[in-house]
Amino acid sequence: MNTIPSITLIQDLFSLPKNTLSEICTDLDLNDDGYKGDLTNRIFQHLANQTKLKESSLASYSDKIFGGKTSITWYQFDTHLSIKDFNNLINETLTFNPFEGINIPVSEDITTIPQIIGAAQGIKENEVFLRFMYKSGVNQEVYATGIETTPKTSLTTAYYNSDSGILELRGDPRKAETIAKEIARLLKQQINLSQAETPFNHKIGDIADNLNGELIDATSKPEIILEEFDEEQSSAVANVLTALDVYFNTNDSEELEKQLQEANKAFGNQKISVPFSALILSGMGKVGLGGENEIRGLPLFDYLSPNLQHQGGFIRFRFNEGGIEKEYTVRIGMKSRSIFFATPATEQVIAYVRENVII
């Protein structure tokens, strides 16, 4: 059966950190000078057609090859499938055995429809990886007499864990639904897949707490959009803010009191029915709040937060790996229901996020 090194492609090597590539070069007695592209190509060419050497030299990096800086989207099965049943259904549907080799289509046959090119057992027996390739764009090369186009391909790695029943898609989250449907087709529609929504329907701060991390950045949009917020009312709110600046400079409250009265008139001499913070935010497309450390508890964030819908943000957390505590940063997409690892991730830290956020 295929292993992770068996289905490792040059794109996977290129996604590894440069220091990891240098280590692999050293292990293979290759020159480790040059840019990432030089090292990647040197390793891949050296291992081409040397199956046993590829297995032995990349085995110790199996926990990094399909990780790295990647976006992850999760789906849940409505029916439990053992690894054996999962693999058999996939294999029966295809014209080749993806667990015993790798089948990369010629460039002319690559379309926007994802094609499975190989599969492998995970690091544990209850895990399996599937590799999908699809056309994600077109590269253009300009020559003196014309423009030559070649397909731009992208990869998505699907991970299935039979104990949790979780399907994890690593790649462009915009393509996740298409690939999930293709996996359902390969499984002969014996299961229904639904995107994991629960953690993304709550506050982004809850995800930070589940990871024992810090919310260091948040992008939001106003909770209340006042469509009938006319020019006079907008000016009144702005004038109140300007008067506050004057007050802090002069300690003279006369101008502030005057502008508050003008704002009251602008809103019909009635008590304003929404918080003043909502009036300030209304009309803004996006609001970004960030810092070097935890932003929850900061006065401005706590003041504005009740009137904001958080669309995403960055969470920083620490994870102990092999006795060494490392710092990781992830970007949360509340709308896309995905998580992007801004710090290159290993299988262990991905599992930590999966188990504390999704399961």
Side-chain angles (χ1 to χ4, degrees):
M1 185 176 187
N2 285 339
T3 62
I4 290 174
S6 303
I7 59 173
T8 296
L9 301 179
I10 194 167
Q11 294 99 315
D12 305 313
L13 293 178
F14 187 72
S15 67
L16 293 172
K18 186 180 178 183
N19 64 321
T20 301
L21 294 171
S22 294
E23 288 178 10
I24 298 173
C25 283
T26 301
D27 289 339
L28 294 171
D29 294 325
L30 298 175
N31 182 4
D32 65 350
D33 291 336
Y35 297 104
K36 274 189 66 175
D38 300 326
L39 302 183
T40 301
N41 193 56
R42 198 173 296 148
I43 294 167
F44 195 77
Q45 295 302 323
H46 184 75
L47 297 177
N49 303 317
Q50 297 195 68
T51 304
K52 290 184 178 180
L53 181 60
K54 185 178 182 182
E55 291 283 343
S56 61
S57 59
L58 297 182
S60 59
Y61 300 95
S62 293
D63 66 331
K64 299 179 179 180
I65 289 173
F66 295 154
K69 293 184 177 182
T70 184
S71 289
I72 299 182
T73 310
W74 287 273
Y75 285 79
Q76 296 170 317
F77 286 5
D78 66 346
T79 303
H80 178 81
L81 280 178
S82 68
I83 281 294
K84 183 178 179 181
D85 290 339
F86 183 92
N87 292 354
N88 286 341
L89 286 170
I90 294 290
N91 190 31
E92 290 170 5
T93 310
L94 298 170
T95 57
F96 76 103
N97 187 342
F99 299 97
E100 297 296 338
I102 187 167
N103 183 30
I104 300 176
V106 296
S107 59
E108 293 79 8
D109 294 337
I110 297 176
T111 69
T112 55
I113 300 173
Q115 299 179 54
I116 187 169
I117 60 172
Q121 180 179 314
I123 296 174
K124 300 178 182 177
E125 290 185 357
N126 64 327
E127 303 171 332
V128 65
F129 287 102
L130 307 177
R131 310 300 310 279
F132 289 86
M133 179 178 286
Y134 61 91
K135 185 178 180 179
S136 57
V138 175
N139 292 316
Q140 295 185 327
E141 188 71 31
V142 179
Y143 291 95
T145 57
I147 299 176
E148 182 180 321
T149 61
T150 56
K152 179 182 178 182
T153 60
S154 292
L155 294 171
T156 288
T157 299
Y159 163 90
Y160 174 64
N161 183 307
S162 60
D163 288 350
S164 65
I166 292 289
L167 179 70
E168 183 175 279
L169 301 181
R170 305 179 187 178
D172 189 343
R174 295 171 297 181
K175 201 69 176 180
E177 183 177 349
T178 302
I179 292 174
K181 288 179 178 178
E182 177 61 13
I183 292 174
R185 185 192 70 80
L186 292 171
L187 294 173
K188 300 180 179 180
Q189 306 293 340
Q190 292 195 15
I191 50 87
N192 290 316
L193 285 170
S194 59
Q195 190 171 359
E197 296 183 359
T198 302
F200 304 103
N201 289 336
H202 295 82
K203 295 179 180 178
I204 190 172
D206 293 341
I207 297 177
D209 290 338
N210 290 339
L211 294 173
N212 292 317
E214 300 174 315
L215 179 64
I216 58 173
D217 184 280
T219 302
S220 317
K221 69 176 184 179
E223 180 78 33
I224 301 173
I225 302 296
L226 303 179
E227 296 180 354
E228 298 180 0
F229 204 37
D230 61 32
E231 186 176 347
E232 181 184 1
Q233 292 168 333
S234 297
S235 297
V237 172
N239 289 339
V240 169
L241 294 175
T242 301
L244 274 171
D245 287 339
V246 173
Y247 171 74
F248 286 125
N249 285 329
T250 65
N251 289 325
D252 185 354
S253 62
E254 183 177 344
E255 180 63 21
L256 178 58
E257 183 178 353
K258 174 185 174 182
Q259 294 304 328
L260 287 170
Q261 291 173 350
E262 291 296 325
N264 196 37
K265 290 179 184 178
F267 286 91
N269 285 315
Q270 298 176 0
K271 185 178 179 180
I272 299 174
S273 59
V274 295
F276 188 70
S277 58
L279 298 180
I280 296 172
L281 294 168
S282 182
M284 293 184 180
K286 285 186 179 180
V287 179
L289 296 169
E292 292 297 322
N293 298 302
E294 173 69 67
I295 61 174
R296 290 174 296 171
L298 295 178
L300 182 60
F301 180 84
D302 290 347
Y303 172 65
L304 296 177
S305 193
N307 297 299
L308 291 172
Q309 292 180 7
H310 298 307
Q311 303 295 291
F314 286 86
I315 292 171
R316 185 170 59 213
F317 64 94
R318 302 187 75 82
F319 179 72
N320 191 303
E321 226 168 347
I324 299 175
E325 195 171 59
K326 297 182 181 180
E327 194 172 83
Y328 288 89
T329 301
V330 292
R331 185 179 71 225
I332 309 298
M334 303 296 282
K335 194 171 182 181
S336 63
R337 302 187 186 99
S338 63
I339 291 179
F340 172 74
F341 279 85
T343 308
T346 63
E347 293 298 328
Q348 289 87 348
V349 76
I350 292 175
Y352 172 76
V353 172
R354 183 193 311 125
E355 292 164 5
N356 286 278
V357 175
I358 301 300
I359 299 176

